Amino acid sequence: MSGVGALRSVGLRTAPTTRGLRRWLLRPEAPAAVFLVVLLAAFSLAADRFLSPDNLESILVQVAVLGIIALAVNQVILAGEIDISVGSMLGLCAVAVGTVATATGGLLAPLAAGVATGVLAGAVNGLLVTLGRIPSIIVTLGMLYALRGVILLVTGGTWITQIPDETRVLGLAKLAGVSLPVFVMFALFLIVNAVSRNSTWGRDVFAVGGNRRAARLAGLAIDRPRLLAFALVGAFVGIAATIYVGRAGSVQTNAGEGLELQVIAAVVIGGTSIAGGRGSALAPVIGAVLIGVILNGMILVGVPGVWQSAVLGALILLAVTTDALRRRLVGGAA
Amino acid sequence: MRTSNRSTLTVAALAAVVALVSGCGETGQGPQQSAKEGGKIICLMPKLVGIPYFEASKTGAEEAAKELKVELTYNGPTEGKAALQVEMIEQLIQRQCGAISVAANDPDALAPAMKKAKEAGIATGAWDADVKKDARDVFVNQATFEAVGKQLVDIMSKQTGEKGDFLVVTGSLTAPNQRAWLEEMKAHMADKYPDMKVAAVEPGEENLQKGIDVTRDYLKANPDTAGVFGITSVALPGAAEAVEQAGLDGKVKVTGLTTPNEMKDYIKKGTVEEFVLWNPVDLGYLAVHVAKAQLDKKLPKSGKFKAGRLGEVEVVKPDEVLLGPPIVFNKDNIGEYDF
Amino acid sequence: MSANQLRPLDVLKGVRFTRELVLLCLLIVLVVVLGQMSPVFFTVGNLLNTSRFFVEVGLIALGMTLIIITGGIDLSVGAAMALVAVTVGLAHQSGVPMALALVLGLAVGLAAGLFNGLMITRLDLHPLVVTLGTFALFRGIALGVSGGGAVSSFPQWFEYFGQFYLGPVPGQLFVFIAAVTAVWLLLSRTPFGRYVYAIGNNEEAARFSGVPVRRVKVVLYTGIGVLVSMAAVIYTSRVSTSRADFGAGLELDVISAVVLGGASIYGGSGTIAGTVLGVVIIATLRNGLSLAGVETTWQVFLLGVLLIAAVFVNEFFRRREE
C-alpha cells in the first residue's frame, strides 16, 4: 500500500476546486504534508539515490517504530494529556520481548509479553492520571525515571543477544518487497484513524482534550477515554518493541533512550496541537516520515556528522514555520 | 472517598516511600562501618553503569577486592556524563575513601574534583580513560590509543587489500577517547597505508538502532565503501547488523571495538572476521590491585608490578601501568571469553 | 475508629497546606532519613558542597518557572548552555581576552533566548514546537563550530571563579541567592510579575486588559537565555573545560524541579519558593543516596517514585482545602 493510496483512503481529494483546496489546507496535517513534499523534491534533486524505491522503503522502515508509538501518543495528546515515558517503556518492553524470545523462541509469545508489559505500564500511567489526579507530565516524567531504573535492575547491565530468527520476523520479513514494519505501521494507522473518527471513544478523546470541563458538564466520561489512551500507548509500544528487537537483533540496556522527544516531535510537527483537541491520526505518521526523510536525506546528501543536528533543528523550525505561513495564506486556528 | 480514609492512605503512601528509601540505604551501611573499623575503602568509578563493558570490569574489580581482602565500592552514574561523575567524586571524598580511581568521561572536567581528593590525602588514580596528569597519581591503561588505532587499521588493511574508503561510526563526536582512536587511525593510514582513507565519521549516539540506520543509509549513498569501523561497543554491533541486513556481508568489511558476547553471532556468520578489545575484567582487576598498592605505598615507579593472577604487568611510565596489548578476537578464540 | 483517625489531623487543621509547606516537610523528612543512612550527610561541609551542584539547574529553573507559569516551555536550555560554553571556549582559544569572551558568551545566550522569543511571538507558534527545533539547532551549531573538540586552557582567574569559597560557603551559592531574590521580587512584587500570572491564567483576557503579552513573552525567553549564560559560565569555570555536549538532559532536570515545585504545566500557578524547594529536594536526594552507597540505578528509580509521590501528596492536601 503506497503513501498516496493511504492519503486517498482518508478522504483527501486529489483534484480539488479552490474552495476544496482551502478546506484541505486547513486540515491539521496539511502544512507538514506540504513541507514533506518540498523536502522530498529538494533531497531528490540533491542526491540521486534518494528517490529510489529501495531508499523510500528504507525510510519508512526506519521510522516504523517511531510512527507506531506516535500514533498512540497522538491520542493521548488529543485527549489533553502527554506521555514522555515512552522511551523507557520501549526499553522495558524490549527487555520483555527479548527475555521471552531467548527462553521460548517463536513470535507470538514474545510479542504478547511485550504488549502485556506495555499495557501494564500504560495502565499505571493512566490510573495515576485519572484516579490519582496527578498531572500527566509528572506521572510520565516519574515513570521515565522509574522504568529506566527497572530496566537496569532487571538486566543487570547485560545486553540480551542472540534473539532467534523467528522472533525477528516482525522486524525483518518482507512482503512483496516491502518490509513488514511498514505494513504494521499503515495497518495500525488505518485502525486508529477509523476508531478515532467513528467510535465513541475516539470522539470522547477529542471532547476531553478540547475542553475538559465542558465535556464533564455535558455528561461525557472523562476518565475512561484517557485511561484507554494511555493503555493504548502501552500496547503500541509493545508492538513497536517487537519490531525494534527484530531489527536491532539485540536489546541494549539503554534502548529507547531519548525516544520520547522524537515521538512528541513527530506528533506536533505533523500537526496535532499540543494543547489537545485538535489533530488527526495522520499527523503523527506524516511527522514521523518527515523526521525519517530528514535523517536519511542528510546522510545521502553527505552532511558532515558534526553538522547534522544543526540541519535537523533548522529543518524542524522550517517545518513549523509552514504552519504560520498557512495561517497567513488561508487563515485557520493556531 | 472519605477524607479520613484518604488521609490515612496518603500518610501511609508517604511512609512507604520513606521506608523504601531508608530500606535501600541499609545495604549501604557496610562501607561506613568498615571505615570506622579501620579498613580503607577502595572506590572505583566507571564511566557509567549498566553496560556490559563496565559490568565486566566490576566482576574483575570484585575478584581482586576479595583476593586482597579490601572493601570495594564500585559505582558510577547511569549516564556517561562528566557532570554526574564530578558530583559523585565529591561525595566519595565525603565518604572518606582511601583511594579513588575513576574512568573519566572527560579528562579536564574531572580534574578539579580529583585534585580536591588529592588534597584530602586520598590516593588518586584513573583507569580506562585518563584525567589530566596532575589530577591523579597513576593511570591504569588498558592499551594505548596508538596501539588500538594501529591494530584496527591493520586488521582492516588485511581484509581490504590495504586500500579503500572507510566509514567510521563512533559514539559521540565529543568523547575524548573515541576522538583519540580516530586520530591514531588516520595517522596510521597516512603513515603506512596511503591508499586507505577515512571518508566519513558518523555519530551513532550510543544508540543501536541509530547505528544501524546511519550505516545503512551511508552504504546506500556510498556503495563503493570498502569497510566500516564501529569504534564503540554499540557502534560495532550496529554496523555489523546493518551490513548484514543490506546483504553486503563479505563485500563490506566490518571491524571495531566491543565486548565479545555481542559479536559471537556475527563472528560465526563471518560478517565480522576480527575485532579488538582488551579484557575489561582484567582491567578492573588490575585497577583494584594498583589502588591497593597505592594505599600500601608499594606502587613501583618503573619496571614491573606484580598483580595477582595477571602476573607481572609493566609500569611504562612513573605514573602509568599498562595492562598489555589489545586482544584481537576472531572465531578461533572468541569462545574462551564470556563478557 | 474514625474519631481516632481524625484527631491527629485536627491538630493540623488550622495550618494552611500550601504546596510549599508540603515540600518543606518533604525536604525535612528526606534530610532526616538521609542523615540516618549516612553519617557524613548531615554535615555543614557536605550540605554546602551539594549546593555547588544545584546552582546551574537552579538558575535556569528560576527562568523556567516564569515561562511555565505563562503556559509555555523551553526545551532548548541545555543546548543553549552548550552553545554559550563553546562560544566562550572558542573565543578564548582564538586569542580573544577572557573577559571579552565571557561577554560574547552572554551575548550568544541572550541572542538564543531572543530567537526563541521572537519565533514564538511573531510567528505565533507554540513554545514546545519552537524550542524542540532550537534544541537540535543550538546543540548542532555548538557541535559544528567546535567540531566536537574541547577547550581546556583557561586562565587561572577564570577557573577560580567557579571554584571559590567565601569562608566555607561556595561562591556560586551567593550568585544563586541573589538571583532567587531578584526573580522572586520580579514575580511577586512588580506589575511584570502580575502580567506573567495573568497570561498564564487566560491569555486572551490578559491581552484585552492591556497586558503587553508579546513583549512579556519575549522578555521571558530572552531572560532565561541570560540565566543560561550565567549557568554555562559557572559550569565551564567549575570544570575548567568547554565542550559541545554540556547540558545534555539539563532541560529534563530543570523541568522536573519546576513541576515538583508545584508549577502547573498548563500555566497560571507556580512560585519561586516552590521551584527552589524542588531544586533542593532533588539535589539532596541524589547527594544523600550517593553518600549512603545506594546504587545509581536504584537512585534513578527512586527519583521517579518520589516525583509522583510528592505530587500525589500535594494533590491530596489541595483537595482537602477545596
Side-chain angles (χ1 to χ4, degrees):
Chain A
M1 173 158 318
S2 73
V4 175
L7 288 177
R8 274 219 185 90
S9 73
V10 299
L12 290 178
R13 292 148 69 177
T14 47
T17 61
T18 322
R19 221 168 8 133
L21 180 65
R22 187 174 180 277
R23 244 195 31 211
W24 183 84
L25 281 177
L26 282 176
R27 293 180 61 100
E29 63 271 350
V34 168
F35 189 69
L36 177 60
V37 169
V38 169
L39 265 190
L40 284 171
F43 278 127
S44 58
L45 288 175
D48 33 83
R49 283 169 223 276
F50 183 78
L51 221 46
S52 66
D54 177 54
N55 189 50
L56 292 177
E57 190 254 4
S58 183
I59 294 175
L60 289 176
V61 174
Q62 282 173 14
V63 296
V65 166
L66 177 63
I68 290 171
I69 299 179
L71 269 171
V73 173
N74 186 55
Q75 293 300 116
V76 166
I77 291 182
L78 282 175
E81 305 289 348
I82 197 168
D83 189 339
I84 53 172
S85 66
V86 286
S88 305
M89 233 193 259
L90 180 76
L92 191 62
C93 292
V95 167
V97 170
T99 311
V100 171
T102 46
T104 66
L107 174 62
L108 286 179
L111 177 63
V115 171
T117 309
V119 170
L120 192 62
V124 170
N125 280 337
L127 287 171
L128 285 172
V129 170
T130 53
L131 288 186
R133 316 244 209 131
I134 305 174
S136 52
I137 180 92
I138 298 199
V139 168
T140 55
L141 185 61
M143 286 290 268
L144 181 156
Y145 291 126
L147 289 180
R148 192 54 67 189
V150 169
I151 294 173
L152 287 174
L153 290 168
V154 162
T155 60
T158 26
W159 286 27
I160 304 178
T161 55
Q162 299 176 315
I163 309 282
D165 283 340
E166 319 96 65
T167 316
R168 300 184 63 181
V169 160
L170 205 60
L172 294 178
K174 291 198 181 205
L175 211 58
V178 177
S179 298
L180 271 190
V182 181
F183 285 112
V184 174
M185 178 168 71
F186 275 115
L188 289 176
F189 159 69
L190 291 174
I191 295 174
V192 173
N193 188 48
V195 168
S196 167
R197 289 162 151 228
N198 300 316
S199 74
T200 319
W201 174 72
R203 287 197 288 266
D204 281 351
V205 161
F206 275 104
V208 168
N211 189 330
R212 198 193 303 178
R213 185 168 273 161
R216 184 158 36 98
L217 292 174
L220 294 175
I222 53 166
D223 280 352
R224 241 195 30 188
R226 294 183 292 156
L227 180 58
L228 285 178
F230 279 107
L232 186 76
V233 169
F236 276 35
V237 168
I239 298 175
T242 314
I243 294 178
Y244 172 89
V245 171
R247 289 199 64 222
S250 48
V251 180
Q252 355 139 238
T253 43
N254 69 348
E257 233 170 50
L259 185 67
E260 43 280 327
L261 210 55
Q262 281 188 32
V263 168
I264 304 281
V267 171
V268 297
I269 293 173
T272 291
S273 167
I274 194 74
R278 252 185 61 85
S280 69
L282 190 55
V285 175
I286 294 194
V289 172
L290 195 59
I291 292 177
V293 163
I294 296 175
L295 292 176
N296 173 281
M298 283 198 294
I299 297 191
L300 257 60
V301 163
V303 175
V306 281
W307 284 106
Q308 282 176 18
S309 182
V311 172
L312 177 67
L315 287 175
I316 290 178
L317 287 174
L318 270 177
V320 301
T321 309
T322 54
D323 187 62
L325 212 63
R326 170 182 68 173
R327 246 175 287 129
R328 298 278 150 97
L329 287 177
V330 287
Chain B
M1 218 186 206
R2 289 181 55 211
T3 315
S4 50
N5 284 341
R6 251 187 128 183
S7 67
T8 328
L9 191 68
T10 313
V11 173
L14 192 59
V17 172
V18 168
L20 186 65
V21 167
S22 38
C24 291
E26 293 304 332
T27 55
Q29 288 297 355
Q32 267 75 43
Q33 287 170 344
S34 310
K36 285 184 222 150
E37 287 160 4
K40 285 227 170 156
I41 322 172
I42 292 182
C43 301
L44 209 63
M45 186 189 303
K47 279 188 176 179
L48 71 158
V49 293
I51 64 169
Y53 179 82
F54 284 112
E55 291 299 311
S57 14
K58 183 177 178 185
T59 317
E62 287 173 343
E63 185 193 336
K66 219 193 311 183
E67 212 177 87
L68 295 167
K69 300 203 194 355
V70 285
E71 199 68 42
L72 170 73
T73 296
Y74 184 95
N75 203 7
T78 49
E79 295 170 85
K81 293 200 196 148
L84 296 172
Q85 282 190 313
V86 170
E87 270 188 57
M88 291 186 72
I89 292 174
E90 304 242 3
Q91 284 147 9
L92 287 179
I93 298 175
Q94 299 282 341
R95 287 180 64 194
Q96 291 147 355
C97 296
I100 297 179
S101 194
V102 63
N105 281 307
D106 183 325
D108 299 303
L110 300 189
M114 289 299 276
K115 284 189 197 159
K116 252 178 113 172
K118 255 184 158 187
E119 283 160 26
I122 301 174
T124 55
W127 60 285
D128 183 74
D130 204 1
V131 289
K132 256 163 101 159
K133 286 197 192 304
D134 57 348
R136 78 323 183 244
D137 298 322
V138 70
F139 174 43
V140 179
N141 199 357
Q142 58 273 31
T144 58
F145 293 132
E146 207 189 319
V148 169
K150 282 192 175 157
Q151 187 65 268
L152 285 172
V153 172
D154 286 340
I155 289 177
M156 191 64 95
S157 69
K158 271 190 292 178
Q159 297 178 28
T160 59
E162 301 189 12
K163 62 176 174 8
D165 281 350
F166 299 93
L167 166 69
V168 174
V169 182
T170 180
S172 92
L173 295 165
T174 50
N177 59 344
Q178 293 160 26
R179 291 170 63 84
W181 290 324
L182 191 55
E183 285 312 303
E184 293 296 338
M185 283 163 63
K186 286 184 183 166
H188 195 50
M189 282 185 189
D191 194 36
K192 235 184 124 190
Y193 307 102
D195 289 326
M196 288 174 74
K197 196 181 80 168
V198 172
V201 180
E202 300 283 355
E205 310 290 351
E206 299 298 348
N207 182 325
L208 183 57
Q209 192 56 66
K210 180 138 199 224
I212 297 176
D213 291 338
V214 151
T215 309
R216 247 180 76 161
D217 286 343
Y218 183 85
L219 290 177
K220 198 170 305 191
N222 304 275
D224 298 323
T225 305
V228 181
F229 290 94
I231 60 174
T232 73
S233 56
V234 175
L236 180 54
E241 185 62 40
V243 163
E244 254 183 38
Q245 283 183 16
L248 293 169
D249 41 320
K251 191 172 161 274
V252 173
K253 303 295 177 182
V254 182
T255 189
L257 298 160
T258 190
T259 41
N261 279 352
E262 276 77 59
M263 296 310 291
K264 285 189 172 155
D265 253 0
Y266 300 113
I267 289 273
K268 203 164 33 156
K269 289 186 259 185
T271 314
V272 176
E273 289 177 34
E274 292 187 313
F275 64 98
V276 173
L277 200 72
W278 42 88
N279 192 329
V281 178
D282 289 349
L283 185 62
Y285 181 87
L286 179 60
V288 171
H289 269 270
V290 168
K292 179 74 166 61
Q294 279 181 289
L295 284 180
D296 297 339
K297 313 247 191 281
K298 284 204 198 130
L299 189 64
K301 293 281 180 190
S302 67
K304 304 264 182 221
F305 167 63
K306 189 157 187 319
R309 63 167 172 79
L310 293 175
E312 300 226 309
V313 176
E314 210 180 312
V315 181
V316 293
K317 294 185 210 161
D319 61 346
E320 189 172 318
V321 178
L322 191 63
L323 177 64
I327 305 177
V328 176
F329 298 94
N330 53 39
K331 66 173 175 335
D332 298 321
N333 63 9
I334 196 167
E336 301 162 21
Y337 301 93
D338 183 22
F339 57 84
Chain C
M1 194 62 179
S2 42
N4 284 341
Q5 282 179 333
L6 279 174
R7 206 165 300 163
L9 289 175
D10 281 349
V11 177
L12 306 168
K13 227 183 234 177
V15 186
R16 259 205 78 212
F17 272 102
T18 61
R19 172 58 168 249
E20 291 75 35
L21 191 59
V22 172
L23 285 173
L24 192 60
C25 293
L26 181 61
L27 180 62
I28 293 174
V29 167
L30 261 186
V31 168
V32 167
V33 169
L34 293 170
Q36 290 292 93
M37 283 160 66
S38 165
V40 290
F41 173 74
F42 201 57
T43 61
V44 174
N46 178 57
L47 293 174
L48 283 177
N49 211 31
T50 312
S51 70
R52 290 176 53 222
F53 305 124
F54 68 60
V55 166
E56 288 121 31
V57 172
L59 282 173
I60 301 177
L62 295 174
M64 189 70 86
T65 308
L66 270 62
I67 289 179
I68 287 185
I69 291 177
T70 62
I73 199 162
D74 188 339
L75 297 175
S76 66
V77 288
M81 183 168 155
L83 194 56
V84 172
V86 164
T87 304
V88 171
L90 288 180
H92 169 70
Q93 200 178 51
S94 35
V96 172
M98 194 63 199
L100 190 58
L102 290 176
V103 171
L104 266 170
L106 187 71
V108 165
L110 198 144
L114 185 63
F115 181 75
N116 276 334
L118 290 176
M119 287 278 295
I120 291 170
T121 54
R122 301 268 155 232
L123 294 180
D124 235 329
L125 295 169
H126 195 279
L128 181 86
V129 168
V130 169
T131 56
L132 206 53
T134 49
F135 163 81
L137 180 68
F138 293 162
R139 189 164 303 278
I141 296 177
L143 208 52
V145 164
S146 68
V151 175
S152 51
S153 53
F154 290 107
Q156 256 313 69
W157 68 263
F158 179 63
E159 302 191 356
Y160 179 65
F161 182 57
Q163 297 163 40
F164 84 98
Y165 289 76
L166 230 71
V169 183
Q172 295 113 310
L173 198 54
F174 290 114
V175 175
F176 184 57
I177 292 175
V180 169
T181 316
V183 178
W184 176 74
L185 283 172
L186 182 70
L187 187 61
S188 56
R189 296 274 184 272
T190 66
F192 185 84
R194 289 198 288 279
Y195 292 162
V196 169
Y197 280 111
I199 296 174
N201 277 309
N202 189 328
E203 194 171 312
E204 282 300 300
R207 192 173 297 135
F208 284 127
S209 318
V211 171
V213 173
R214 271 192 178 177
R215 214 179 311 154
V216 169
K217 285 188 179 180
V218 170
V219 168
L220 287 181
Y221 287 94
T222 312
I224 207 177
V226 172
L227 288 169
V228 165
S229 302
M230 285 169 63
V233 166
I234 292 178
Y235 181 74
T236 307
S237 161
R238 185 156 70 80
V239 298
S240 311
T241 191
S242 128
R243 253 189 12 206
D245 59 6
F246 281 179
L250 187 72
E251 42 282 322
L252 212 56
D253 292 338
V254 170
I255 292 172
S256 297
V258 174
V259 295
L260 181 61
S264 166
I265 205 72
Y266 305 113
S269 70
T271 61
I272 294 299
T275 297
V276 171
L277 281 168
V279 169
V280 173
I281 286 176
I282 294 181
T284 308
L285 183 73
R286 285 221 318 241
N287 172 271
L289 289 179
S290 267
L291 285 180
V294 174
E295 282 189 26
T296 40
T297 43
W298 270 108
Q299 287 182 35
V300 175
F301 177 75
L302 286 173
L303 181 61
V305 170
L306 178 84
L307 213 52
I308 297 178
V311 178
F312 183 68
V313 170
N314 174 73
E315 287 297 300
F316 160 72
F317 282 115
R318 205 167 62 79
R319 266 158 227 295
R320 269 201 97 226
E321 263 184 73
E322 279 167 7

